[in-house]
Amino acid sequence: MDSTLENDQSWIPKVIKKKICSTFLEDTTTQSKQQLCQCGYPKTRHSQVAMEDNFGAAVVSRWNTADHTTEEPTDAFGDVAFFRKGRRQGKFVRLSSDTDPAIVYTLITHFWGIAHPNLVVSVVGGEQSLKMKTWLKDILRRGLVKAAQSTGAWIMTSGLQVGIGKYVGQAVHDHATANTRSTAKVVAMGIAPWGIVYEKERLVNPKGSFPAEYTVSSDKDEEYTLDDNYSAFLLVDDGTNKQMGGEIQFQARLEQHILTQRTGIGGRGSIEIPVLCMLIQGGPNMLERIYKATTNNIPWLILAGSGGLADILAEVMMGSFTAETLKKEVEVQIQKHFPSEDIQRLVELVERIFENKQLITVYSADLDGTEEFDTIILKALFKACKKERTTAQNYLDELKLAVAWSRVDIAKSQFFNGEIEWKSSDLEDPMTAALVNNKTEFVKLFIDNGFNMVEYLSYRRLEELYSTVASKSLLNSFLQKKKEERRSSQGGNESMLLPVNPNLSGAQQSYTLLEVLKVLKDLMGDFCEPMYGQLFKRADSHRNKPLLKPQELSYQMRKCTTPWTDLFIWAVLQSRNEMSTYFWEMGGESVSSGLVACKILREMARYQPEAEGAQLMKEMAAKFAQLSLDVFNQCYRHNEKRAFRLLVRQCPLWGSATCLQLANEADARNFLAHDGVQALLNQIWWGEMDRNTETWKLCIAFFCPLFIYSSLIKFSNSREEHMTEKNTSDLDSIDGDLLLPKSDIYHDSEADVSVSPGNMRPFWMIRWKQFWGAPVTSFFGNVIMYFAFLFLFAYVLILDLPLKNPSIAELILYFWVLTLAFEEIRQTFFVSMNISLKKKVKLYYQDMWNKCDILAILMFVAGVISRMFSSWYEMGRVILCLDFMVFCFRLVHIFAIHKQLGPKIIIVGKMIKDVFFFLFFLGVWLMAYGVATQGLLYHTESRASWIFRRVFYRPYLQIFGQIPLDELDATRFHSRCPDNLTEGSEEELSTCTNTYANWLVILLLTIFLLIANILLVNLLIAMFSYTFNKVQEKSDIYWKFQRYNLVVEYHKRPALAPPFIILSHIHIFIKRNIRKVPTVKGRLFITDLSEAVANRLMTWEAVQKENYLLSRNRIKRESNMERLKRTAQKVDSVLSYITDIRDHDRRLKVIEKQIEYCTEALQWLAESLLQSNLIGNARAPPTFTDPSSKKTTGCNDSK
């Protein structure tokens, strides 16, 4: 027995009772040998008190459960294990018919662990002799059970292997067998009388059964056996034995209680749980239950064609009857099916049920067979709530059910067809359910029908959405980690923590935007700071202080300033593909937002432990990168100049980052390889020089600067021409105004100061800055001087590195490396001025080539220090020689700008990774062969250096063909080994070669060369070929991506190259620190626009995005798949029209019968008045003449 379960349910006997008969009233109608009470139990099962009440027994002649039973603690509850059926288990309890249904509902949902239902379907009607038709079995299995699984419904029947309960159990079993991969379990619940259960004594245990062993039987005499396909059993005890009907009232009260309960997302309880009763066949005793259920507004679904009472009600509800003909038709039908019943009483019940006709839905397999069963259920619930005049509030629960069941088609046709006036406030709860449940189609539907997202999304509601993330999701683990860090940083002081959201239940996790901000910082860096960073005020700058002031978070009541962007980030963090795409379409700053999503998803993919989830995130990242690229392509095709401005505009929403920076951070290579981006890079790279300038002209101008004032190199003609170009390019803005204010036109982008129109520089200064300010000049200067540096370094190493005092060439080399070190210091600490020192260093070390520069400088310093001491001179020389190799390796980065060499460098880098994997396999086999041959040939060798050579070095050389047969083949040995290997000297034994088992050495050599030279080398070649083909396909993209980083680097560098760069450093120091002149050189890559201009640019981008979406949707509509979908929708519409035509046909038949009745009544009235002599008119009353008969008469007369 499980003691834990026993302790958890020990309260059950104290609260839940059973019923026992308290008065013995003998049943005189039975012919049993033993005396039976009218309750069904024998006299021996009654207590002495029950049999001593002779006076009461003499007065009362009929037994009833209310007066003749008493309640005692239940003695049957716990788990039931079904043997012979795979040891399945279910929950059960014996309870009184008067038990409070609220207690039972709490027992089921809280203690038995069964989830709250989204719907309760009570299947009734089948008697013991029910023979289920094949199509009815299919409806139960493919319709009801499937719908229950998809909607999270409870199915309630008797739970016994008899009647309708048996067939529902079989349907549950068949569905579970056919859907083994499904994690959602169908909850089937049995409610049966305790007195009829077979072998119920096995379930009796006053302390509870955990579990009770129950054997399932299939004998006909034992058909009231519990069905093992049910999850729970409520065995209702009304004090009777072997009598049916005792559970009906309790089940009705339980259904009524469930109707008052609410379920929803995150414990909010926003949806009332609907209850639907389904009638299959059924006898006359079901009419009373149907009538009482309809008075409680419980809808019914009648299965037409199942027989019995179901066919009678289906005929009545679907037929065309007047008030007079209805009674006659019902009498005929009841007389036909139930001739021995009280016909008058049944007719009255049917008429009363007909008054609530809107609660009855008839399902016909012939008419409704094409629809999903959950659609039928939802339509039945919608029909039950539909009235002549009503407000949108009456339809909210049904709309929420449509959201929960993902039936957007029903929502469109029933709730958003123009008949119901929805307000934005009415749709807030359904919108929350759609967002949390990832129902993108419903979000679109609500937005299209006037939902105001700006009024809906407050910061408090956004925190509620973050608090509803799945407990096992990656985002939840991130948020929980940040919450624990905040709690630990505040020393466990709960008063300093943020207040918990009151709208969430205690079991639900509660997160604030502070945790979200920290998660975004880990994923995006400082790009997310403007989103939520301004909402929180820091109490102290020290880390050991609380992050927030202990005050109410007033921001929670404020509306989100950018609701679409906030929801977009929320959806991206949860990897919701369709929803995040929709929010991206609805939001602004499309290019930058898509790149941010790409960055977030690629960072999250690194932390995702599941390979499938990581792959999904990578695919989403590629999708958003492509969306940003497509929108930018649309912008570039429309206006090239404005597209350039879009690339370098600072986005306030993303930490003032530009689209180029975001693309680089997100590793969006296709974006940076776009022609528009490359055109902007070309423009920046060449500055105001002609882009077709040959390299030799640049070299001449570099060594002889006077040539820049000649016609050797072409520059832009004048400042006025440059201004005219900008003016004409910006005139085609959206509203016809200039995109940029005139004050921004006169900035000298290549200089470090602003130039006004009235303060123009002289020609020689302008041309000088045009040449030396271009990144291409800085690049070629650095290349030329770097080759000179390497030549000087090589000269010093080979020819001019004296032992004592350094030579002049060596001192020049020292100074040159010192200027290189100064440049690295400048790049580390003085390039980005608005970030912390730690972030500057971190940003610098992210570049591999910067690490290479630091390594080369540090090795040079170590080598110089070592060579200054005579004892360490050789060590210093070795370090400097190795350092020269590192400086030479730095040339690889310079050649990355070349269109042909750049991709090849990437290929070589990826091939080096392949070599490491190859060396692992080669090393394993090489060590195995080397150790084996050393042990066979030189087992007496004791010198460590020789052992290492023969184990590793010699086998490695054998791969390249250097095979020393004189040392391996015994036939070619020239050994001086003694005859007795144990008597030789140590020197002789060390050089001795063993000839024993020499054939094995030759065999191992053959196998080693076969595997190493044939297998492994060809494997390496194949890996190289795969890498080459893979990179070669995207070589242009790789090269353009590298080119961006190189252009940015040389754009930030000073014009002069080392060692003359020291002059540029001095000039920059004087200008920034003494003259206090701010730099504007970065304006080409970062542009801060005014608010008005930025708004115009964003509006233009939004227009281009809409144009792109329209073109994409147009292409999508023309695809074959979409055409098939539209055809299917048209077919569905035709079928719905046919159904409507049938409804109209029924109505026309009703009107026709009513007209016939009125015609007969008027005819009778006319005849009566004519015969009564009340009217003194000798003319006979007019008679109706059919026009068709008139035409026929006319034809006969003509003949």
Side-chain angles (χ1 to χ4, degrees):
M1 178 183 296
D2 193 335
S3 59
T4 304
L5 290 176
E6 184 180 4
N7 295 332
D8 290 342
Q9 302 185 22
S10 59
W11 60 271
I12 293 180
K14 302 176 183 178
V15 179
I16 299 178
K17 309 296 181 181
K18 67 177 182 178
K19 280 191 173 183
I20 60 173
C21 181
S22 60
T23 304
F24 178 78
L25 294 178
E26 185 176 357
D27 187 1
T28 59
T29 61
T30 61
Q31 299 179 356
S32 177
K33 295 181 180 180
Q34 56 180 345
Q35 288 182 308
L36 294 179
C37 179
Q38 293 182 18
C39 68
Y41 285 102
K43 186 176 182 179
T44 56
R45 295 287 299 273
H46 289 69
S47 63
Q48 189 66 25
V49 176
M51 292 183 292
E52 288 178 354
D53 191 8
N54 297 324
F55 177 76
V59 174
V60 181
S61 61
R62 186 172 181 81
W63 188 93
N64 65 80
T65 184
D67 300 330
H68 302 125
T69 58
T70 59
E71 290 187 346
E72 294 182 358
T74 184
D75 57 357
F77 62 92
D79 299 338
V80 55
F82 296 94
F83 289 89
R84 301 182 185 176
K85 292 288 185 179
R87 300 182 66 87
R88 300 175 185 170
Q89 286 195 4
K91 306 290 185 179
F92 78 97
V93 64
R94 176 186 181 183
L95 48 90
S96 169
S97 58
D98 297 330
T99 305
D100 186 2
I103 298 175
V104 178
Y105 186 76
T106 303
L107 172 67
I108 296 172
T109 56
H110 287 79
F111 292 91
W112 285 357
I114 298 177
H116 293 267
N118 293 325
L119 168 70
V120 174
V121 180
S122 183
V123 186
V124 297
E127 303 294 341
Q128 298 182 19
S129 58
L130 174 64
K131 293 183 179 180
M132 187 71 71
K133 300 178 182 179
T134 304
W135 66 272
L136 285 175
K137 293 181 180 178
D138 292 338
I139 287 178
L140 290 179
R141 182 177 65 254
R142 300 178 183 175
L144 176 62
V145 177
K146 182 180 178 181
Q149 184 186 33
S150 62
T151 60
W154 288 359
I155 302 177
M156 288 186 178
T157 66
S158 64
L160 304 176
Q161 290 187 347
V162 61
I164 191 65
K166 174 182 178 181
Y167 292 103
V168 171
Q170 290 179 356
V172 172
H173 177 266
D174 295 342
H175 183 80
T177 303
N179 297 272
T180 55
R181 295 184 178 180
S182 177
T183 57
K185 183 180 179 182
V186 178
V187 178
M189 195 169 299
I191 303 179
W194 167 262
I196 67 171
V197 176
Y198 172 72
E199 289 191 354
K200 53 182 175 290
E201 292 79 11
R202 290 177 174 268
L203 306 177
V204 176
N205 187 345
K207 296 182 179 180
S209 301
F210 303 98
E213 298 182 359
Y214 192 85
T215 304
V216 180
S217 177
S218 59
D219 296 339
K220 293 183 179 180
D221 297 336
E222 303 165 355
E223 53 189 5
Y224 292 108
T225 304
L226 298 179
D227 196 319
D228 60 303
N229 295 299
Y230 286 75
S231 304
F233 300 91
L234 303 178
L235 306 178
V236 182
D237 188 3
D238 63 345
T240 63
N241 182 42
K242 296 183 179 180
Q243 295 181 14
M244 300 291 295
E247 81 287 357
I248 295 178
Q249 292 185 356
F250 171 78
Q251 185 172 352
R253 289 190 293 111
L254 179 61
E255 293 169 355
Q256 190 64 31
H257 173 75
I258 294 176
L259 271 176
T260 63
Q261 303 302 304
R262 302 181 75 87
T263 185
I265 305 302
R268 292 177 177 82
S270 60
I271 305 176
E272 290 184 356
I273 302 176
V275 176
L276 176 71
C277 296
M278 189 170 70
L279 178 64
I280 300 177
Q281 201 183 67
N285 59 332
M286 293 303 303
L287 277 175
E288 186 72 26
R289 180 175 180 181
I290 295 175
Y291 168 68
K292 291 182 178 179
T294 53
T295 57
N296 293 325
N297 292 324
I298 296 179
W300 281 76
L301 181 63
I302 310 297
L303 265 64
S306 59
L309 182 63
D311 287 351
I312 297 176
L313 293 178
E315 184 68 24
V316 171
M317 299 301 166
M318 298 178 64
S320 304
F321 303 107
T322 62
E324 289 75 11
T325 59
L326 175 63
K327 186 174 182 179
K328 296 181 181 179
E329 182 66 23
V330 173
E331 289 180 354
V332 173
Q333 293 291 336
I334 292 178
Q335 184 68 32
K336 176 182 177 182
H337 290 85
F338 312 112
S340 60
E341 298 293 333
D342 187 356
I343 298 178
Q344 188 63 31
R345 184 180 67 86
L346 297 181
V347 170
E348 292 178 358
L349 288 175
V350 174
E351 289 178 338
R352 293 179 182 177
I353 293 172
F354 190 79
E355 294 176 357
N356 294 320
K357 187 177 180 180
Q358 76 276 1
L359 295 174
I360 308 297
T361 302
V362 178
Y363 173 79
S364 176
D366 297 332
L367 300 178
D368 305 319
T370 58
E371 291 188 296
E372 295 288 342
F373 204 76
D374 54 353
T375 305
I376 301 296
I377 294 175
L378 190 58
K379 285 184 176 181
L381 297 174
F382 172 74
K383 180 182 177 183
C385 74
K386 194 171 185 179
K387 300 178 181 178
E388 294 295 331
R389 287 186 178 182
T390 184
T391 60
Q393 293 292 332
N394 298 91
Y395 298 91
L396 272 181
D397 287 333
E398 284 69 28
L399 178 59
K400 293 173 185 176
L401 282 178
V403 174
W405 298 356
S406 301
R407 296 314 304 261
V408 68
D409 53 340
I410 301 297
K412 289 180 180 178
S413 61
Q414 301 293 340
F415 304 113
F416 296 96
N417 52 9
E419 298 179 1
I420 306 173
E421 295 183 1
W422 293 98
K423 298 179 181 178
S424 180
S425 58
D426 297 332
L427 298 175
E428 288 187 355
D429 285 344
M431 174 60 82
T432 301
L435 289 172
V436 174
N437 283 338
N438 195 19
K439 305 297 176 61
T440 309
E441 293 297 327
F442 278 97
V443 175
K444 294 180 181 179
L445 180 64
F446 297 153
I447 296 298
D448 294 340
N449 285 273
F451 184 82
N452 191 343
M453 187 61 74
V454 177
E455 293 296 326
Y456 165 79
L457 193 64
S458 63
Y459 287 114
R460 178 184 293 276
R461 184 159 279 156
L462 184 60
E463 289 179 346
E464 293 177 8
L465 292 177
Y466 275 106
S467 299
T468 58
V469 298
S471 58
K472 296 183 179 179
S473 64
L474 182 63
L475 175 59
N476 184 69
S477 63
F478 286 163
L479 293 173
Q480 190 65 31
K481 180 181 178 182
K482 296 304 176 183
K483 187 175 181 179
E484 293 297 332
E485 290 178 357
R486 176 166 57 84
R487 184 178 285 113
S488 61
S489 65
Q490 294 173 351
N493 188 357
E494 296 296 330
S495 62
M496 302 298 293
L497 295 178
L498 298 177
V500 178
N501 198 323
N503 293 336
L504 300 175
S505 62
Q508 179 75 30
Q509 68 267 18
S510 177
Y511 301 122
T512 64
L513 292 180
L514 181 60
E515 285 86 20
V516 178
L517 176 62
K518 291 182 177 180
V519 171
L520 289 176
K521 278 189 174 181
D522 291 343
L523 298 175
M524 299 170 52
D526 293 330
F527 297 149
C528 64
E529 184 67 28
M531 293 190 65
Y532 309 122
Q534 72 277 9
L535 301 178
F536 305 97
K537 297 179 180 179
R538 293 188 176 273
D540 198 309
S541 59
H542 297 287
R543 296 182 179 179
N544 56 354
K545 297 293 183 180
L547 292 177
L548 298 177
K549 293 181 179 179
Q551 59 185 1
E552 294 184 1
L553 299 180
S554 58
Y555 75 89
Q556 291 184 337
M557 304 308 298
R558 289 159 46 192
K559 303 298 181 182
C560 295
T561 56
T562 54
W564 295 114
T565 304
D566 294 329
L567 290 175
F568 172 67
I569 294 298
W570 172 77
V572 167
L573 289 173
Q574 297 184 80
S575 303
R576 295 184 173 182
N577 194 351
E578 294 184 3
M579 187 166 289
S580 57
T581 303
Y582 175 70
F583 290 142
W584 175 84
E585 294 175 357
M586 298 297 294
E589 301 194 13
S590 306
V591 178
S592 59
S593 297
L595 295 173
V596 167
C598 178
K599 167 70 174 176
I600 293 175
L601 290 167
R602 284 182 174 166
E603 288 294 326
M604 292 183 66
R606 295 169 49 201
Y607 298 99
Q608 178 60 256
E610 298 179 0
E612 185 177 355
Q615 182 63 28
L616 175 62
M617 292 178 181
K618 292 178 181 178
E619 292 175 357
M620 285 185 60
K623 174 185 176 181
F624 280 109
Q626 186 62 38
L627 287 173
S628 297
L629 176 61
D630 293 339
V631 173
F632 176 74
N633 181 58
Q634 181 73 22
C635 296
Y636 180 70
R637 287 164 51 193
H638 182 265
N639 190 310
E640 179 180 340
K641 299 294 183 182
R642 200 172 298 167
F644 291 165
R645 196 60 69 147
L646 184 66
L647 289 175
V648 298
R649 167 189 170 267
Q650 286 184 316
C651 304
L653 192 60
W654 309 117
S656 299
T658 65
C659 291
L660 290 177
Q661 291 175 340
L662 292 174
N664 188 43
E665 289 290 331
D667 197 25
R669 299 180 180 180
N670 289 332
F671 186 89
L672 293 176
H674 188 266
D675 292 341
V677 179
Q678 294 300 311
L680 176 62
L681 294 179
N682 279 332
Q683 181 177 333
I684 297 173
W685 180 252
W686 288 97
E688 298 186 32
M689 284 191 294
D690 185 13
R691 292 165 179 76
N692 297 321
T693 303
E694 290 83 353
T695 305
W696 64 270
K697 294 182 180 180
L698 289 175
C699 294
I700 292 176
F702 180 81
F703 288 104
C704 187
L706 295 178
F707 278 99
I708 65 177
Y709 299 103
S710 65
S711 60
L712 181 67
I713 300 177
K714 295 181 180 179
F715 294 88
S716 58
N717 293 331
S718 63
R719 175 69 60 175
E720 289 77 9
E721 185 178 300
H722 185 61
M723 291 165 52
T724 304
E725 180 183 354
K726 284 193 174 184
N727 277 310
T728 55
S729 64
D730 291 331
L731 280 173
D732 59 340
S733 59
I734 296 171
D735 52 1
D737 297 333
L738 288 175
L739 182 62
L740 297 175
K742 293 183 178 180
S743 59
D744 286 347
I745 296 177
Y746 302 104
H747 283 306
D748 185 2
S749 59
E750 299 300 336
D752 287 341
V753 294
S754 299
V755 181
S756 61
N759 188 22
M760 301 297 294
R761 289 197 179 103
F763 170 76
W764 67 270
M765 185 178 293
I766 293 175
R767 182 58 55 86
W768 180 271
K769 288 187 174 294
Q770 285 177 341
F771 179 77
W772 293 104
V776 63
T777 306
S778 176
F779 172 76
F780 276 103
N782 278 272
V783 170
I784 294 171
M785 298 308 296
Y786 198 79
F787 274 106
F789 166 74
L790 293 179
F791 176 79
L792 176 62
F793 200 169
Y795 172 79
V796 170
L797 285 177
I798 299 174
L799 301 175
D800 198 5
L801 190 63
L803 179 62
K804 295 182 179 180
N805 297 326
S807 62
I808 297 177
E810 189 175 354
L811 293 176
I812 296 174
L813 179 64
Y814 294 168
F815 177 74
W816 204 318
V817 175
L818 181 63
T819 58
L820 291 175
F822 285 159
E823 175 60 19
E824 297 303 321
I825 294 174
R826 188 196 67 84
Q827 293 180 16
T828 305
F829 300 104
F830 300 101
V831 172
S832 300
M833 304 299 294
N834 54 351
I835 59 177
S836 63
L837 180 62
K838 181 179 179 181
K839 292 180 180 178
K840 289 179 180 179
V841 176
K842 182 179 179 181
L843 185 65
Y844 175 81
Y845 274 97
Q846 286 179 352
D847 190 354
M848 183 194 72
W849 297 110
N850 289 335
K851 298 176 184 178
C852 181
D853 292 335
I854 294 298
L855 176 63
I857 293 173
L858 292 179
M859 289 182 64
F860 187 84
V861 172
V864 170
I865 294 175
S866 299
R867 64 97 53 221
M868 292 299 177
F869 301 94
S870 58
S871 59
W872 288 4
Y873 173 80
E874 294 298 334
M875 175 64 70
R877 189 181 187 89
V878 171
I879 295 176
L880 290 176
C881 290
L882 296 177
D883 188 37
F884 179 79
M885 295 179 63
V886 176
F887 274 112
C888 289
F889 177 70
R890 189 64 174 81
L891 279 174
V892 174
H893 178 55
I894 297 176
F895 291 127
I897 193 67
H898 197 271
K899 190 171 184 178
Q900 280 73 35
L901 292 179
K904 302 302 185 293
I905 294 172
I906 298 173
I907 293 174
V908 171
K910 291 186 176 293
M911 284 183 175
I912 291 176
K913 297 180 181 179
D914 295 337
V915 169
F916 283 108
F917 291 103
F918 167 78
L919 290 179
F920 171 77
F921 294 107
L922 179 63
V924 172
W925 181 239
L926 188 143
M927 183 177 65
Y929 168 74
V931 171
T933 54
Q934 176 68 16
L936 290 173
L937 293 175
Y938 306 100
H939 66 279
T940 59
E941 182 64 71
S942 59
R943 293 170 295 180
S945 59
W946 283 89
I947 293 176
F948 180 81
R949 283 171 173 266
R950 289 168 177 165
V951 169
F952 294 101
Y953 180 62
R954 187 174 63 181
Y956 179 75
L957 294 179
Q958 290 175 4
I959 298 176
F960 301 98
Q962 297 185 16
I963 304 174
L965 293 178
D966 294 340
E967 300 178 6
L968 299 176
D969 192 354
T971 60
R972 306 179 67 174
F973 285 171
H974 301 285
S975 177
R976 296 184 291 104
C977 293
D979 296 334
N980 190 354
L981 292 177
T982 61
E983 297 178 355
S985 62
E986 182 177 353
E987 182 179 356
E988 291 177 345
L989 292 177
S990 299
T991 59
C992 179
T993 304
N994 187 16
T995 59
Y996 181 77
N998 186 254
W999 61 271
L1000 184 57
V1001 175
I1002 302 301
L1003 180 61
L1004 291 177
L1005 174 63
T1006 305
I1007 298 174
F1008 171 71
L1009 294 178
L1010 177 66
I1011 295 178
N1013 287 17
I1014 305 299
L1015 180 63
L1016 294 181
V1017 172
N1018 282 279
L1019 173 63
L1020 181 62
I1021 295 173
M1023 294 169 64
F1024 285 169
S1025 299
Y1026 173 77
T1027 301
F1028 179 84
N1029 294 329
K1030 184 179 179 180
V1031 178
Q1032 189 67 22
E1033 293 176 357
K1034 301 180 179 180
S1035 59
D1036 188 61
I1037 296 176
Y1038 282 112
W1039 169 72
K1040 290 178 179 179
F1041 181 74
Q1042 280 192 335
R1043 183 171 179 264
Y1044 165 77
N1045 294 318
L1046 197 66
V1047 172
V1048 172
E1049 177 184 350
Y1050 281 95
H1051 173 73
K1052 295 178 181 179
R1053 282 197 174 191
L1056 299 178
F1060 306 107
I1061 198 173
I1062 191 67
L1063 302 177
S1064 297
H1065 291 164
I1066 296 172
H1067 177 259
I1068 293 174
F1069 177 79
I1070 295 173
K1071 183 176 290 187
R1072 301 291 176 264
N1073 296 277
I1074 299 177
R1075 297 176 58 193
K1076 304 296 182 181
V1077 178
T1079 179
V1080 292
K1081 188 173 183 179
R1083 191 180 299 275
L1084 294 177
F1085 278 100
I1086 299 177
T1087 302
D1088 186 13
L1089 303 178
S1090 63
E1091 184 177 358
V1093 176
N1095 290 337
R1096 292 179 188 176
L1097 187 62
M1098 290 300 97
T1099 304
W1100 174 75
E1101 182 194 19
V1103 171
Q1104 302 310 314
K1105 180 188 68 175
E1106 292 299 327
N1107 294 336
Y1108 160 71
L1109 294 177
L1110 287 175
S1111 62
R1112 188 185 66 173
N1113 293 335
R1114 189 183 305 111
I1115 296 173
K1116 185 178 180 181
R1117 284 196 303 269
E1118 295 175 356
S1119 63
N1120 294 332
M1121 184 62 67
E1122 290 298 320
R1123 291 179 180 177
L1124 289 175
K1125 288 182 180 180
R1126 290 197 296 271
T1127 304
Q1129 292 175 357
K1130 292 179 181 178
V1131 171
D1132 293 339
S1133 300
V1134 171
L1135 292 177
S1136 63
Y1137 289 147
I1138 293 175
T1139 304
D1140 294 339
I1141 290 173
R1142 290 172 179 170
D1143 293 337
H1144 292 311
D1145 184 57
R1146 297 192 193 103
R1147 296 177 183 176
L1148 290 175
K1149 288 181 180 179
V1150 173
I1151 295 174
E1152 184 180 357
K1153 289 185 179 181
Q1154 291 177 349
I1155 292 174
E1156 290 178 358
Y1157 170 75
C1158 293
T1159 303
E1160 292 177 359
L1162 291 174
Q1163 186 177 359
W1164 175 84
L1165 181 62
E1167 292 176 354
S1168 300
L1169 291 175
L1170 185 62
Q1171 295 175 2
S1172 63
N1173 297 323
L1174 293 177
I1175 302 175
N1177 191 353
R1179 187 173 63 87
T1183 58
F1184 175 75
T1185 304
D1186 190 358
S1188 61
S1189 62
K1190 187 181 292 186
K1191 292 181 181 179
T1192 305
T1193 304
C1195 293
N1196 293 333
D1197 292 341
S1198 62
K1199 289 181 181 180

